[in-house]
Amino acid sequence: MSQGTVIAAVDGSAESQAAAQWAAREALLRDLPLHIVHAWQDWSPGFAHAPFTGTETAPGDAAVTRHWAERVPRGVADRLRESHPGLRVGVEQIFGRPAEVLLAAANKAEVLVLGSRGLGALGGFLAGSVSMPVLAHAERPVVVVRAGERAEDERRPGDGADRPARYLDVVLGLDLTRPCDELIEYAFSAAAARGAALRVVHGWDTPIVYGYEPEAADPGHGVAMGLREASALTDALRPWRGKFPDVDVKEQCVVGRAADHLVDASKDASLLVVGRRVRRAAIGTHIGPVTHAVLHHAAVPVAVVPHP
């Protein structure tokens, strides 16, 4: 595996099947190989290595368990090769705790793709002991994909040969107080690979000074701040427009909770890209309130990109 590889984590669930399909499409878009990873862990000294399936159940016959587990990644790879001719697919089963296995895999890849249950679900990858440590500590981008995600969901219907289906916008949530080249570059690259427009959403609030809002006393204050924020957004994106001249960029400066605006924007998008500050602490699974909110409520795959 290398940072020129797309990695999909599979465990036999419908969620991981959707993640693998998305990862296959992403690998083809970026002309990269796809690597299927399946983690194994010990249940107890008296049992064979057991696969991670997303729910902890008592292991059965060791031979049956091993046979089933070995079939999972191979079956996924075979289906992907059949549905995506020309896709380069590798398969690997790794012994170890799933969170540790996937975190190590993420740090060696271009992007790691995980599956997740439906919108707002408290179970599955999003709130689980596996995904949260990976999302919180990965040094490379991690994409979370919902069960049921389909290729056609990412495109705007076409009108025949003259107007083929095109990808919906890639949406980037950008906090100008913490500029991040890694985050911006990932979003531009994703949009360029899809031939999609990039919609950049920057949320801001009027500061409260000495217990009152300046805008309430002087409405012009809010207008002036809005203009400054819009100008700062344009300045931040200018060099990236030069690097990606074919990407149509749409700038949106919005007032209020950024997470709400991003979730709303995801309803008409192919991919939502958000950032996560790199924390050097070895413990904790903090990913930031905005990223946490969109992971639970966004309507499309979410790419979480670590940055300083």
Side-chain angles (χ1 to χ4, degrees), residues 33 41 58 60 83 99 126 135-136 157 169 178 194 200-201 204 272 287 289:
Q41 62 182 342
S83 59
L126 289 187
L135 286 165
D169 295 352
R178 298 186 180 279
R194 290 162 172 75
V200 184
V201 179
W204 63 279
L272 175 58
I287 58 175

Side-chain angles (χ1 to χ4, degrees), residues 97-108 112 130 133-139:
R97 296 181 180 274
E100 296 173 0
V101 168
L102 297 183
L103 183 58
N107 293 340
K108 297 177 181 178
L112 171 69
V130 173
V134 175
L135 286 165
H137 298 292
E139 298 175 2

